[in-house]
Amino acid sequence: MINNAGISYRGTVEHMDEASEMHQMNTNYLSPMALIRLALPYMRKRGRGKIINISSVSGMLAMPTMGSYSASKYALKGQANLCGMKCGLSV
C-alpha cells in the first residue's frame, strides 16, 4: 500500500487557523492511518505486506512557517515506525 497524500499550509503558529491545521492533520496523518488500519488485517492474513508512506524532510526537521505540516509528518513517521515494529511488516 502506498500513502502519497499531502497538503501544506504555510504560516507561523499565531497565523495558522484551526480549519487549515485540521485539514493538514486529516490529510497527512489521520487518513493514511485509517487506510493502514484497514489494510493490516489483509496483510496479516496473507502473511506479508508493505506500507510505503511518501513523506517529507519536514517529518524530520521542522521549519518556522510549517509547524502544522511538520507535526503531521512527524506523527505519521512515528506511527509508521511503531507499526513496523509491532506488526512485523515492512513500513
Side-chain angles (χ1 to χ4, degrees):
M1 179 177 76
I2 299 173
N3 285 317
N4 191 32
I7 190 165
S8 174
Y9 296 116
R10 291 180 181 257
T12 58
V13 172
E14 65 269 19
H15 293 114
M16 181 64 63
D17 64 271
E18 186 176 348
S20 296
E21 192 165 36
M22 289 308 299
H23 189 215
Q24 283 184 121
M25 289 303 287
N26 283 328
T27 302
N28 300 344
Y29 173 65
L30 296 172
S31 295
M33 288 308 302
L35 292 172
I36 289 170
R37 279 191 295 279
L38 289 172
L40 281 176
Y42 298 100
M43 291 179 180
R44 280 199 185 102
K45 186 176 179 180
R46 292 180 64 196
R48 63 188 177 97
K50 290 186 181 194
I51 299 169
I52 299 169
N53 293 313
I54 308 298
S55 190
S56 166
V57 71
S58 293
M60 298 181 290
L61 174 68
M63 294 174 232
T65 60
M66 297 179 71
S68 297
Y69 178 76
S70 294
S72 68
K73 294 300 184 174
Y74 270 103
L76 184 59
K77 182 178 178 352
Q79 281 286 21
N81 290 345
L82 179 64
C83 189
M85 289 186 284
K86 290 291 188 184
C87 300
L89 300 171
S90 296
V91 180

